[in-house]
């Protein structure tokens, strides 16, 4: 494990852990635990890295809302002029509620319903990233019914191996996403012939937590070949969407910087006039956030010591789901000998762990932070074991903004009804 924190705005000062200018102990005092805490500066800086690397060419950065859909987070990106990549009507509603521009929204996903299509057409989104022949027909029909023309890109499957976790690789032939390269031409011809569609672009996304830029560049070159074939048939595209996927450091990974990741892609498209779109999620929010939790019990065992904390797999599912690593840091330094702990939650499953075998100097009642939890943390949380979801806070300099209240227990069953 390296010594510098993966969250750039997190530091230790006089034994205390601070995010920007705010002591995490003060966050816990004010809002309790478990609480997700995000840094506005880290969010803005991550977005600025994309902006900077894309300067001087037409480009749109569409933040992938699924990574963290809190209205506070969305509003930070909206204020910076971001576009948004959505996968549901619900995400579209969030973007609009947070002040995002629907004209900069791209809509991905293999299962768009008619209602979602209507909602997105009425809102005037930038593009539907269409993933199948059947979706082309349905979208044409729905747009016709309400007298609109739907802008579309076909999501193609470049069949490259992103070399990442099998659950989060999406660009292989065996995945459910996109349409095969071999079918793309015929589908574009069909789409171009339909009265209520407007062929606008092409899209691809090969996977997530990519640490090597080479597979993306390979996919980009394949996509460009298709763009030229389409142009030869008179089907001209105005934008090329290369999806998201850039990885972040959780442990000792060494992901490329945004600039180094984009450089080979920009080279592929040098001299082209099409707008380039990107759909980054994790690399914009992952290392802008942490999950703050309190140690409820220390439980020494014959084989392992357990630190039972008040956060659980329902709050942060990634360790249980992907065996993902999140660095665990004690919030207040303590003069006790460090011990090795399994960091587990109170949920009644052996899979309810947050981290394995970590050396920590902690006592009952201490606060610990699970780092790099800004992406796919809160958005994948659940109410399992009738646990209210965590609160969410954005820090900004010395200021604290509560951007989601802790869920009350009554709200968890407010929609339910006992039988007489
Ligand atoms: N665009 C599309 C079409 C996607 O499917 C995804 C992520 C993104 C953009 C954003 O990718 P990113 O830049 O965040 O890598 N729950 C998993 C990650 C699932 C990613 C799904 N698709 C995790 O916790 O690691």
């Amino acid at each position: 494990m390296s010594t510098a924190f993966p969250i750039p705005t997190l530091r230790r000062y006089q034994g205390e852990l601070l995010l920007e200018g705010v002591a995490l102990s003060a966050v816990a005092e004010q809002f309790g635990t478990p609480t997700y805490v995000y840094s506005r500066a880290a969010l803005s800086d991550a977005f600025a890295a994309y902006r900077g690397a894309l300067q001087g060419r037409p480009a749109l950065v569409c933040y992938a809302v699924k990574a963290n859909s809190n209205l506070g987070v969305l509003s930070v990106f909206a204020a910076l002029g971001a576009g948004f990549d959505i996968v549901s009507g619900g995400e579209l509603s969030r973007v609009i509620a947070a002040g995002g521009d629907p004209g900069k929204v791209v809509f991905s996903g293999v299962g768009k319903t008619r209602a979602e299509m209507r909602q997105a057409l009425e809102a005037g989104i930038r593009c539907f990233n269409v993933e199948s022949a059947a979706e082309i027909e349905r979208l044409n029909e729905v747009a016709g019914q309400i007298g609109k023309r739907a802008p579309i890109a076909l999501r193609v499957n470049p069949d490259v191996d992103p070399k990442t976790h099998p659950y989060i690789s999406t660009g292989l032939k065996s995945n459910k996403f996109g349409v095969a390269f071999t079918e793309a031409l015929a589908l574009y011809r069909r789409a171009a012939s339909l009265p209520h569609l407007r062929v606008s672009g092409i899209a691809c996304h090969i996977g997530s937590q990519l640490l090597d830029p080479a597979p993306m560049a390979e996919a980009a070159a394949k996509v460009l070949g298709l763009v030229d074939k389409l142009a030869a048939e008179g089907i001209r595209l105005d934008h090329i969407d290369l999806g998201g996927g850039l990885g972040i450091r959780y442990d000792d990974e060494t992901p490329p910087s945004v600039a180094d990741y984009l450089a080979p892609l920009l080279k592929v498209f040098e001299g082209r006039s099409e707008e380039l779109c990107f759909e980054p999620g994790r690399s914009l929010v992952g290392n802008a956030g942490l999950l703050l939790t309190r140690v409820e019990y220390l439980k020494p065992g014959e084989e392992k010591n357990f630190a039972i904390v008040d956060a659980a797999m329902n709050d942060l599912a990634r360790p249980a789901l992907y065996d993902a690593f999140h660095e665990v840091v004690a919030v207040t330094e303590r003069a006790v000998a460090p011990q090795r702990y399994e960091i587990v939650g109170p949920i009644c499953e052996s899979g309810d762990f947050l981290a394995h075998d970590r050396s920590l100097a902690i006592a009952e009642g201490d606060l610990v932070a699970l780092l790099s939890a800004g992406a796919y943390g809160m958005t994948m949380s659940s109410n399992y074991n009738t646990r209210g979801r965590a609160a969410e806070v954005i820090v900004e300099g010395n200021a604290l903004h509560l951007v989601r209240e802790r869920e009350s227990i009554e709200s968890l069953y407010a929609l339910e009804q006992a039988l007489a």
Side-chain angles (χ1 to χ4, degrees), residues 10 58 77 86 135 175 184 208 213 248 278 327 333 352 386 391 396:
L10 184 70
F77 291 130
I86 59 162
E135 191 187 335
N175 294 128
S208 200
I248 61 168
F278 295 91
E327 189 174 340
E333 277 180 340
D352 180 27
T386 303
E396 180 179 10

Side-chain angles (χ1 to χ4, degrees), residues 63-107:
Y63 166 61
V65 174
K66 65 169 82 71
N68 187 323
S69 59
N70 181 282
L71 293 200
V73 171
L74 298 181
S75 69
V76 168
F77 291 130
L80 295 170
F84 296 91
D85 165 47
I86 59 162
V87 290
S88 70
E91 287 189 348
L92 177 56
S93 298
R94 281 182 176 275
V95 166
I96 293 169
D101 177 358
K104 292 183 185 170
V105 166
V106 298
F107 192 169

Side-chain angles (χ1 to χ4, degrees), residues 195-210:
H196 306 296
L197 300 184
R198 181 170 60 78
V199 173
S200 163
I202 189 163
C204 86
H205 170 83
I206 63 169
S208 200
Q209 185 56 11
L210 308 178

